[in-house]
Amino acid sequence: MERPFPTVAIVGLGTMGAGIAVAVARSGRRVLGIEADGAAADRALARIQEATAHAVERERLTPQERSDLLALITVGDRLDAAAAADLVIEEVPEQLELKREIFAELDRICPPQTVLATGTTSLSVTRIAAATGRPERVLGLHFFNPVHAMKLVEVVRTVLTVAQVADEAAAFARDLGKEPVAAGDKAGFIVNGLLFAYLNQAAAMYESRYATREDIDAAMRLGCGLPMGPLALLDLIGIDTARTVLEAMYEQSKDRLHAPAPILGQLVAAGLLGRKTGRGFYSYEAPGSSRTVAEAGARGASAVAGREVRSVGVCGSGTMATGIAEVFAKAGFPVTLVARSQEKADRAKGQLTRSLDRSVEKGRLTAEQRDAALALVTPSGQLADLAGVDLALEAVAEDLAVKRELFANLDKICKPGAVLATTTSSLPVISCATATSRPQDVIGMHFFNPAPAMKLVEVVSTVLTSADVTATVLGLCSTVRKHPVECGDRAGFIVNALLFPYLNDAVRMLEEHYATVDDIDTAMKLGCGYPMGPFELLDVVGLDVSLTIERVLHQEFREPGLSAAPLLEHLVAAGCLGRKTGRGFRDHARR
């Protein structure tokens, strides 16, 4: 295919427009920058010159490349300059009527073959295109900020955009060194459509005082490997911007999960818009600063003293149980590892031994440290051997009846004052607690898999858990070098309550034929810096496990938007459970 669009006009040279102008000029194309007036044009040119000078300083450009690039860019204040362009990209403020006025004028100015593209992040491309007499040659080109660093471009087709125009736009993006993904015209497109619903739920979680802002952010960073926590990300994006995107999404979907959390409106009304104003969910040293400052009344250390823990019991013989036993043994705690039989317990210790051997091979442990940890682990086939432990922690099957029976037995066996903990990821902790005569001693300790590597532990207190038990577990997590986050006993706790609705939304997006599996995964990895796309993650977690969690969340909160996507249910019914069966959203058997 011949290189598309040799001359590109960019209307609006703010941060995004200027970044696109530089990226287009770097590809050797002529750029016509258009601003509202002469003063704005002068500021825009200065912005481009400053940005390219920084690129030279950082060795992203040579001085000659900068000179050649600047020679390709012309900046003025006359919209009719766009008549010479093959492609016009609009990057003006996110106001529908303003964009429609500009597109109507561009339609009058530009030759019939010119392609018109909007950079909107949340508005209807179809409604913008309807202001022209050439809707078949109008589409969305959604670049991400900063343009020089972000590889993703969403190519947004309306029902009228012809395939050739979309194909040429995708080829143009690739020629700029970007990765284009195809999306339909739906509020938020792919990235914002999935991202902002998740951010909104995090804001609502904080507003309900279910968990602190620090714990919500730490949970998603450490539990999911995300580059930023959701509340810190809202501050970076701008709370006013987030609210605008969510309003557009809600207007289209009427899904209550897209209705902006009231706290977003309150912060906007107060002028607390995030980093750009110096305060949002967090407070910053100055407007525009990324450095947070402590606030009066911020949560400090608990005044309640915890109980002494000198020995630990772990019930279970699977990967999670052996991983948790390894965590405590490496921290110097004697561990009794109890399984259904002595044979299973011995096999579990063998699995633990292999894990420690791998750590020695990789230089993470010395042979002496491995031997010391192994010496602290005693495998047993008898629950009675937990009579003397200070903490008994279960990691058995995710079946409430099984867990309740185990807790009833632990209640009879364990000494008074022992802390009893469950590692459940989706079941109510209070249901385990009420199987005992000491519910005040029962708490949730949700480790993440693999337990030796993952830093996060969700510490889940019920309405009956004693304050000293919570203090005990919070302190113990720090002792074993884990990061505890504190939350209440409701479905999903922090991580799963935010993660799985996002995954479910991705499945709905797919079943509506809005975008492909590969494009959705690529969009979230490149647009948000996620370590895995939603379908990669679903196949790793297991579609059956994911469906169970989706159903638990829907049962707890009764939100229609949380009901499991039919496609997920159909795949589970067909036995396509992800990597473990060789097929899920992708066919892993062929790889």
Side-chain angles (χ1 to χ4, degrees):
M1 182 186 293
E2 184 180 332
R3 272 184 103 206
F5 313 130
T7 301
V8 178
I10 300 171
V11 181
L13 293 169
T15 302
M16 183 64 76
I20 296 170
V22 171
V24 173
R26 284 195 75 170
S27 72
R29 291 172 169 84
R30 182 182 172 210
V31 177
L32 307 173
I34 302 170
E35 263 295 354
D37 54 48
D42 291 342
R43 289 194 298 271
L45 185 57
R47 190 179 299 120
I48 290 169
Q49 290 169 338
E50 183 181 2
T52 53
H54 283 315
V56 172
E57 290 171 8
R58 295 169 185 171
E59 299 183 341
R60 293 200 303 263
L61 284 176
T62 67
Q64 185 59 53
E65 286 171 335
R66 176 177 183 259
S67 178
D68 294 343
L69 182 158
L70 291 175
L72 289 168
I73 300 175
T74 303
V75 179
D77 61 354
R78 294 183 60 84
L79 192 62
D80 58 12
D86 307 290
L87 167 69
V88 183
I89 302 173
E90 163 274 310
E91 286 289 348
V92 302
E94 200 76 338
Q95 299 166 20
L96 180 61
E97 288 312 311
L98 173 62
K99 291 180 187 284
R100 281 174 55 84
E101 288 172 15
I102 289 172
F103 270 73
E105 190 64 14
L106 288 170
D107 186 43
R108 184 186 65 78
I109 291 167
C110 296
Q113 70 272 17
T114 303
V115 172
L116 307 180
T118 173
T120 183
T121 61
S122 60
L123 300 175
S124 166
V125 179
T126 304
R127 292 178 69 183
I128 294 169
T132 76
R134 64 179 91 189
E136 72 284 353
R137 299 190 70 76
V138 178
L139 77 167
L141 278 179
H142 180 209
F143 288 78
F144 286 73
N145 196 31
V147 176
H148 72 268
M150 299 295 283
K151 300 281 287 182
L152 184 68
V153 176
E154 291 179 315
V155 179
V156 184
R157 291 173 59 171
T158 74
V159 290
L160 295 175
T161 308
V162 297
Q164 181 186 351
V165 168
D167 291 345
E168 287 177 350
F172 167 72
R174 278 190 288 271
D175 204 42
L176 301 187
K178 305 299 183 185
E179 183 75 31
V181 295
D185 184 23
K186 176 180 176 183
F189 313 134
I190 298 174
V191 172
N192 289 348
L194 295 177
L195 174 66
F196 279 88
Y198 149 70
L199 296 179
N200 196 38
Q201 294 313 297
M205 181 180 282
Y206 172 68
E207 184 174 23
S208 71
R209 299 188 180 183
Y210 175 68
T212 67
R213 62 190 180 185
E214 292 85 359
D215 280 356
I216 292 170
D217 279 356
M220 299 312 291
R221 284 189 293 104
L222 299 177
C224 299
L226 305 187
M228 292 184 76
L231 302 179
L233 182 54
L234 279 164
D235 276 357
L236 174 62
I237 290 168
I239 293 164
D240 52 340
T241 301
R243 190 167 184 268
T244 297
V245 173
L246 285 163
E247 288 284 14
M249 290 172 60
Y250 178 73
E251 182 182 353
Q252 191 171 105
S253 71
K254 298 300 186 283
D255 185 338
R256 288 193 303 183
L257 297 179
H258 295 159
I263 192 172
L264 298 178
Q266 294 158 18
L267 289 170
V268 170
L272 306 178
L273 308 183
R275 287 191 190 181
K276 59 189 174 186
T277 60
R279 187 174 167 194
F281 285 99
Y282 294 87
S283 292
Y284 300 87
E285 281 187 347
S289 171
S290 62
R291 190 182 296 272
T292 58
V293 295
E295 299 168 28
R299 185 183 72 175
S302 172
V304 178
R307 304 177 187 179
E308 187 176 11
V309 175
R310 289 169 295 184
S311 60
V312 175
V314 178
C315 303
S317 57
T319 301
M320 184 59 78
T322 57
I324 293 169
E326 179 180 332
V327 167
F328 282 102
K330 285 194 296 191
F333 289 89
V335 179
T336 303
L337 180 57
V338 178
R340 287 181 176 272
S341 67
Q342 187 64 47
E343 181 185 6
K344 285 189 173 182
D346 290 338
R347 279 205 303 268
K349 184 170 181 180
Q351 182 181 334
L352 191 158
T353 302
R354 289 189 291 277
S355 175
L356 290 172
D357 286 343
R358 287 193 295 272
S359 293
V360 172
E361 291 168 9
K362 294 175 181 177
R364 296 173 184 157
L365 284 180
T366 65
E368 291 76 15
Q369 289 170 324
R370 172 199 59 198
D371 295 342
L374 283 172
L376 289 169
V377 178
T378 303
S380 170
Q382 301 291 327
L383 271 181
D385 288 341
L386 300 180
V389 301
D390 300 304
L391 167 68
L393 195 153
E394 69 77 18
V396 299
E398 195 75 343
D399 181 307
L400 186 57
V402 172
K403 290 184 187 289
R404 281 180 57 84
E405 182 182 357
L406 176 58
F407 270 84
N409 288 327
L410 290 174
D411 184 37
K412 297 170 187 172
I413 292 166
C414 293
K415 66 184 181 181
V419 175
L420 309 181
T422 172
T423 64
T424 183
S425 62
S426 60
L427 299 173
V429 177
I430 191 65
S431 294
C432 297
T434 53
T436 75
S437 63
R438 47 172 130 176
Q440 72 278 3
D441 292 339
V442 179
I443 195 167
M445 286 183 76
H446 179 209
F447 286 78
F448 286 71
N449 197 30
M454 297 293 281
K455 296 285 288 181
L456 185 68
V457 177
E458 290 178 315
V459 177
V460 186
S461 300
T462 75
V463 291
L464 297 176
T465 304
S466 293
D468 67 331
V469 168
T470 303
T472 300
V473 173
L474 290 171
L476 189 61
C477 286
S478 298
T479 300
V480 298
R481 298 184 177 182
K482 298 298 180 186
H483 186 111
V485 296
E486 194 176 350
C487 59
D489 182 24
R490 74 181 198 190
F493 311 138
I494 298 174
V495 173
N496 287 350
L498 294 178
L499 174 64
F500 280 88
Y502 149 75
L503 297 176
N504 199 45
D505 283 349
V507 180
R508 290 188 186 280
M509 189 175 277
L510 177 67
E511 70 185 6
E512 292 168 3
H513 306 289
Y514 177 69
T516 66
V517 165
D518 287 341
D519 277 354
I520 293 170
D521 276 357
T522 297
M524 298 313 293
K525 288 190 290 184
L526 296 183
C528 297
Y530 285 11
M532 301 178 79
F535 297 108
E536 289 179 275
L537 184 55
L538 281 161
D539 277 359
V540 168
V541 170
L543 274 58
D544 51 340
V545 174
S546 302
L547 179 59
T548 297
I549 294 172
E550 299 286 6
R551 286 173 171 167
V552 167
L553 290 171
H554 184 241
Q555 176 67 24
E556 176 99 333
F557 298 108
R558 308 299 173 94
E559 279 286 354
L562 293 179
S563 62
L567 178 58
L568 182 62
E569 295 184 324
H570 295 165
L571 286 170
V572 171
C576 301
L577 308 183
R579 287 191 183 178
K580 59 189 174 187
T581 61
R583 186 175 175 188
F585 286 98
R586 289 185 173 87
D587 189 345
H588 300 279
R590 296 181 182 177
R591 292 172 179 248

